Amino acid sequence: MNLCTSDLRTTCSSNMLADFKAPYTATSIEHLQNAGAIMGGKVNMDEFGMGSYNIFSNAGVVRNPQGVIGKAINTLYEPDARSAGGSSGGSASAVASNMCFAALGSDTGGSVRLPAAYCGIVGFKPSYGRISRWGLIAYASSLDTVGILAKTVDNSRLLYDLMAKEDVKDSTCLTQTQRNQIAKAIPTLAHTKSSDNSKPLTGVRIGIPQEFNIAELSHSSRSRWRMGIQALKDSGATVLPVSLPNIKLAVGAYVTLGTAEASSNLQRYDGIRYGHQSEKTDGKDELYSHTRSEGFGKEVRRRILVGTYVLTSGSFDNYFLRAQKIRQTIRNDFDRIFCRPNIITRSEAAEQDATRVHALLTPTSATTAPKLIDCVGGQVDPINAFMDDMMTIPASLAGLPAMSVPFGICSEDGLPLGLQVMGQYGDEDMVFKVARVIEARGKEI
C-alpha cells in the first residue's frame, strides 16, 4: 500500500521502503478513521503503483479471487490463475474476496478501475483534487488520485463523501471556494427526475465515444457495452455517438508524462535520508547506484530510465512538452463534448445543446483478466502492457471522475466484465447517478 500510516509500515511493495514507517497518516485515511472506520491492514500492489497486473511486487503476485473462492487449494490449477489487475490489485482482491467492506488504492492511469473490472467490483476515481493526496507516496504527481474499491456504487459513494474535503496540506487539493464554484456551475439533478421511477435518467444525455470501439475489444466486451447502452435507453437517457479524435494519442502521452514524473519523484530514494541503504559503500556515487539497484524492482528501474531520458535537454521539447500539449488537447476534446462547464479549463456550459452530453459510457477493459502465466517472467512487452489501460488513461490525463461498474460475466471464460462511466470535471454526482443504473442492470443479466 502506498498510503502512509503512522502505526503500520508503508512499503509501496518495494524493497526500497521495506521497513519504512511514516511519522504521519494520510489525510484520506484520517477522514475515514474519524468517521469510525477500522483499518484492517495494508495490501499488496505493484511497486510504487507501476504496473497493470500486480506482478511487480516484493511480496509476490496477487491472484484474482474469481474462480478461487470456495475451492480447495489442491483442486486449483495454477496455469488457470488470473491477474487481479494493477496496480491496486491487492485492494481489489481483498474487496472481491469479502475480506473487507471497501479498500483504497491509487489511480494514476486506471490502477483502481482496471483491477475493479477484472475482479468484478466497483472502482471509482474522483476528479483530480477532490480527495487530498497528502500521505499518498507519489508516482506521477499530476496524475495520482486516491481511488475507492467497493462492492457497490453506494458503498463507494459513502467513502467518497467522507474523504472529499479541503486539505491545506495538499496544494493540489480543491479549496472549499473551488468546491463551491463547482457546485454553483454544475446544475442540480432535479431536472432529470421523472415521475416514472423506472426512468431515472430522463433528460440525461449519454455519449458513446467511437474511438473506444477498438480492434482489440473482445466480442464479450463489445456485447456488454451494447447491453449497457440499451440499459441507459431503457432508463430514459438519450444516447448519442460522440468523437474524441485525439484519444489515440493518450497512451503515448501518458507513458511519457508518467515516466518523467516518476523519474523526478523517485530521486529522493538515495539511501541517505530514509529507506534502504546498500551495504556496498565504496563511495558516494557507488552507494547511490547500489542502493537504487537493490531497492527498486525491474519495472521501476525501467520507468526511471525512460523518464530520465525524456527529461534530458535533448529530448525535453520533443517528448515531454509535446506530451503536455497532447494532454491539453485531450482535455479540450472532453470539454467540447460535455454540456457542463469545467471550472479548471474555464469551458462554458452548454446544457441546452442537444449535441453535447452529461456523461460517457465505455468498456473498462478490452478483455477479461489475463492469465498470470501470460504476464509473469517477461511474457508481456512493457509497452504493450500499457495498452490494457487504454480505456482508462484518457480520464486520468484529463483529471475527470470515472467509475468502473461490474456488468455481467464473459460467456467464454466466466470472468467478470466492467463498464466505465465518465463525467465532466467535478461532476461526480452524474457519474454516480448513471453508474447506479448500470449496476442495477448488471445484477439482472
Side-chain angles (χ1 to χ4, degrees):
M1 173 62 79
N2 53 351
L3 283 163
C4 290
T5 51
S6 58
D7 51 351
L8 292 175
R9 290 181 301 129
T10 304
T11 69
C12 292
S13 294
S14 174
N15 289 328
M16 183 62 78
L17 293 176
D19 298 312
F20 175 66
K21 182 178 286 188
Y24 56 86
T25 296
T27 299
S28 54
I29 295 178
E30 282 188 336
H31 285 321
L32 296 179
Q33 290 178 327
N34 290 340
I38 299 172
M39 184 176 65
K42 296 292 188 74
V43 291
N44 203 349
M45 61 178 289
D46 277 306
E47 185 178 8
F48 284 99
M50 302 183 193
S52 299
Y53 306 117
N54 213 147
I55 58 176
F56 302 114
S57 167
N58 68 343
V61 302
V62 173
R63 186 168 180 161
N64 194 322
Q66 296 295 330
V68 174
I69 298 176
K71 294 184 178 180
I73 294 178
N74 59 357
T75 66
L76 298 178
Y77 185 52
E78 194 61 32
D80 288 336
R82 299 284 179 155
S83 166
S87 61
S88 301
S91 298
S93 183
V95 174
S97 56
N98 297 315
M99 297 174 67
C100 56
F101 173 78
L104 301 183
S106 63
D107 192 308
T108 306
S111 295
V112 162
R113 289 162 286 157
L114 189 64
Y118 283 172
C119 293
I121 61 173
V122 172
F124 177 52
K125 181 198 84 71
S127 301
Y128 183 84
R130 276 291 196 182
I131 297 177
S132 171
R133 291 191 305 113
W134 196 79
L136 174 65
I137 295 179
Y139 156 26
S141 301
S142 72
L143 296 162
D144 292 341
T145 307
V146 176
I148 302 165
L149 298 106
K151 279 294 189 70
T152 69
V153 173
D154 285 341
N155 289 352
S156 177
R157 181 65 195 244
L158 175 64
L159 268 66
Y160 167 73
D161 287 341
L162 292 173
M163 294 188 293
K165 300 175 182 178
E166 178 183 13
D167 183 14
V168 295
K169 297 188 292 292
D170 177 13
S171 61
T172 64
C173 188
L174 291 172
T175 64
Q176 190 56 51
T177 299
Q178 290 173 313
R179 294 170 193 269
N180 294 339
Q181 290 174 346
I182 291 175
K184 183 178 180 180
I186 294 179
T188 63
L189 299 180
H191 73 287
T192 67
K193 292 181 179 179
S194 169
S195 56
D196 184 357
N197 291 331
S198 66
K199 305 286 185 180
L201 296 183
T202 299
V204 175
R205 297 187 295 273
I206 308 294
I208 308 300
Q210 61 185 24
E211 288 79 10
F212 283 73
N213 190 18
I214 56 176
E216 295 84 356
L217 199 63
S218 69
H219 171 74
S220 292
S221 293
R222 188 174 283 109
S223 174
R224 295 300 177 189
W225 192 12
R226 292 194 187 102
M227 293 174 68
I229 292 171
Q230 187 59 49
L232 297 178
K233 290 180 178 179
D234 293 342
S235 296
T238 300
V239 177
L240 304 171
V242 295
S243 178
L244 297 163
N246 295 291
I247 287 297
K248 60 182 179 292
L249 304 174
V251 173
Y254 170 80
V255 173
T256 301
L257 297 174
T259 55
E261 292 188 33
S263 173
S264 176
N265 280 325
L266 270 59
Q267 285 183 11
R268 68 194 71 177
Y269 304 109
D270 54 14
I272 303 297
R273 287 166 286 186
Y274 57 87
H276 171 73
Q277 184 180 85
S278 175
E279 295 180 358
K280 301 175 182 178
T281 55
D282 303 330
K284 183 180 70 173
D285 292 340
E286 290 77 9
L287 173 62
Y288 290 161
S289 176
H290 290 311
T291 293
R292 291 168 69 82
S293 295
E294 295 168 6
F296 292 135
K298 177 181 178 181
E299 178 66 11
V300 173
R301 294 199 303 270
R302 188 189 66 79
R303 297 198 192 194
I304 289 174
L305 288 173
V306 173
T308 301
Y309 173 76
V310 167
L311 293 175
T312 59
S313 59
S315 303
F316 187 82
D317 290 349
N318 287 333
Y319 293 98
F320 187 78
L321 288 185
R322 186 171 296 180
Q324 290 284 27
K325 292 177 181 178
I326 291 172
R327 183 180 192 177
Q328 185 56 51
T329 301
I330 291 173
R331 285 196 188 106
N332 294 340
D333 281 350
F334 278 113
D335 287 343
R336 180 177 48 79
I337 64 173
F338 280 126
C339 63
R340 293 186 163 183
N342 184 333
I343 70 160
I344 303 300
T345 61
R346 300 185 184 280
S347 67
E348 296 182 358
E351 194 76 28
Q352 304 306 316
D353 187 342
T355 65
R356 297 170 74 168
V357 299
H358 296 89
L360 303 175
L361 182 72
T362 72
T364 307
S365 60
T367 64
T368 56
K371 293 183 178 181
L372 281 173
I373 198 172
D374 295 330
C375 301
V376 299
Q379 299 296 320
V380 177
D381 181 87
I383 299 301
N384 288 339
F386 284 107
M387 300 308 290
D388 285 314
D389 296 325
M390 68 176 73
M391 304 291 184
T392 56
I393 283 175
S396 293
L397 284 175
L400 305 180
M403 176 180 287
S404 176
V405 185
F407 198 73
I409 60 174
C410 174
S411 57
E412 285 84 10
D413 55 25
L415 293 173
L417 289 162
L419 294 181
Q420 178 180 225
V421 180
M422 291 183 278
Q424 177 60 290
Y425 184 88
D427 199 5
E428 279 78 6
D429 284 349
M430 182 60 71
V431 171
F432 281 112
K433 185 179 183 70
V434 176
R436 288 189 184 98
V437 171
I438 295 296
E439 178 183 48
R441 180 59 64 88
K443 293 177 180 179
E444 298 173 359
I445 60 177

